[in-house]
Amino acid sequence: MAGDNAYKVKWGIISTGWIAHQFVTDLVHCSNGVAYAVGSRSQESADEFARNHGISKAYATYEDLVNDPEVDAVYIGTPHPFHKENALLALRAGKAVLCEKPFTVNSRELEEVVAYAREHKLFLMEAMWSRFIPAIVKVREWIAEGRIGEVRLVKADLGFRADWNPEGRLLNPNLGGGALLDVGIYPISFASMVFGPHPEKISSIVHIGETGVDEHFSMLLSYEGGRTASLNAGIRLKMLEEAHVFGTEGHIIVEGTLVNPKSAALYVGGEKVESFEHERSSIGYVYEAEEVGRCLQAGLTESPIMPLDESLAILKLLDEVRAQWGLVYPGE
């Protein structure tokens, strides 16, 4: 792809659900990309989505979408169990892929997808949108600058109380439901961003609900040198949704919500010394889309901010946690 700043990635969207709506709504703010086509399981659904978002092409199948020669990159917003199949479909058509988190339901599936992308030198990235939110970028900068000294502890919580709907995505094991894949991956990814994706020890405890999915859990990750991450998440339990990073000289608070924060605060010696606030008209998905565009224009096949090896390591961590719980998804 030419490094022309005027060039815009033509996005193809797989799915017409809520998360795909959010992503496409934000693409209007994207400096290097535009929603071009959408694929669904029916022409009616694709046409309605395209009409609502001003998209020029609407396809009744995912196959027709990925085979459109004008599509540069494919965004996958289907439920977790379909990510592997959808990602491979797009990659086999030669498309760059941005796939919603979690990448797949287990590391074995992701290893297959990553292997194909790397063999064919195709771009692939997990849509961990929080990694690219400006407030989180600022947190990384503060840590890298040594503003809070040596980081020793991360504490991150994310939870909400979902309505009771056993057939819905959150509580249905057939759709990869449960707290771990839906919200738990956010605090886990945050800890990985700070400490790296390879803890020395993983301890966890879980509450399995009556539908057979994990409704909330607590996790303690131990790293070399006595560093720790205390993480909690739930889909039937409201939590504060904050993240704290404690160092030997100070601490950082990610304020509001860990998923999409608009502010962060830096404390040294118990006093707030700096605040970061970011007002924007976009939802926040635009930043991951722009990262894909930057990588494609630079000729990269993966993002240095959300690399594939880190996504793989995180999924292996999730596999180990589920093994502790004895939790197996249907079809595994």
Side-chain angles (χ1 to χ4, degrees), residues 158-162 215-217 233-239 241:
L158 183 61
F160 60 92
R161 185 162 177 82
E215 292 190 357
H216 64 260
F217 68 84
I235 54 171
R236 293 279 290 162
L237 188 64
K238 175 63 178 173
M239 299 180 188
E241 303 188 2

Side-chain angles (χ1 to χ4, degrees), residues 139 142-144 146-157 190-191 193-195 220 223-232 240 242-254 265-271:
V139 169
W142 284 338
I143 293 172
R147 299 289 298 277
I148 61 171
E150 183 182 352
V151 179
R152 308 294 298 171
L153 171 66
V154 166
K155 185 178 185 301
D157 305 322
F190 184 81
M193 181 189 79
V194 177
F195 288 139
L220 184 66
Y223 302 83
E224 184 181 3
R227 299 171 299 158
T228 56
S230 174
L231 315 173
N232 301 277
L240 292 179
E242 290 183 340
H244 302 252
V245 184
F246 297 93
T248 53
E249 305 298 329
H251 67 279
I252 296 167
I253 302 178
V254 178
L266 172 66
Y267 292 79
V268 176
E271 299 291 332

Side-chain angles (χ1 to χ4, degrees), residues 18 20 24-25 30 45 47 54 59 71 91-92 141 143 195 214 241 254 260 295 299 301 305 329:
W18 180 84
V24 172
T25 297
C30 189
S45 175
D47 287 342
Y59 293 107
V71 171
L91 290 169
R92 286 167 180 156
E141 291 175 359
I143 293 172
F195 288 139
D214 53 303
E241 303 188 2
V254 178
N260 185 19
C295 289
T301 55
I305 298 173
Y329 298 121

Side-chain angles (χ1 to χ4, degrees), residues 64-100:
D64 288 341
L65 171 78
V66 301
N67 287 320
D68 184 327
E70 292 294 310
V71 171
D72 298 311
V74 172
Y75 168 80
I76 296 169
T78 51
H80 320 323
F82 305 106
H83 287 179
K84 173 194 168 184
E85 172 189 343
N86 299 154
L88 286 174
L89 178 70
L91 290 169
R92 286 167 180 156
K95 307 303 183 184
V97 171
L98 175 66
C99 183
E100 261 307 325

Side-chain angles (χ1 to χ4, degrees), residues 195 198-203 220-229:
F195 288 139
H198 300 289
E200 292 185 332
K201 185 177 180 181
I202 303 168
S203 303
L220 184 66
L221 305 180
S222 305
Y223 302 83
E224 184 181 3
R227 299 171 299 158
T228 56

Side-chain angles (χ1 to χ4, degrees), residues 183-210:
V183 293
I185 194 168
Y186 285 108
I188 292 169
S189 181
F190 184 81
S192 176
M193 181 189 79
V194 177
F195 288 139
H198 300 289
E200 292 185 332
K201 185 177 180 181
I202 303 168
S203 303
S204 64
I205 190 166
V206 67
H207 170 67
I208 303 293
E210 61 182 83

Side-chain angles (χ1 to χ4, degrees), residues 12-27 35 37-40 45 49 53 55 62 75-79 100 283 285 288:
I13 311 300
I14 285 183
S15 174
T16 56
W18 180 84
I19 193 67
H21 165 79
Q22 297 290 99
F23 181 79
V24 172
T25 297
D26 239 26
L27 277 181
V38 61
S40 184
S45 175
F49 190 91
H53 292 284
I55 295 176
Y62 300 154
Y75 168 80
I76 296 169
T78 51
E100 261 307 325
I283 302 169
Y285 296 92
E288 64 180 1

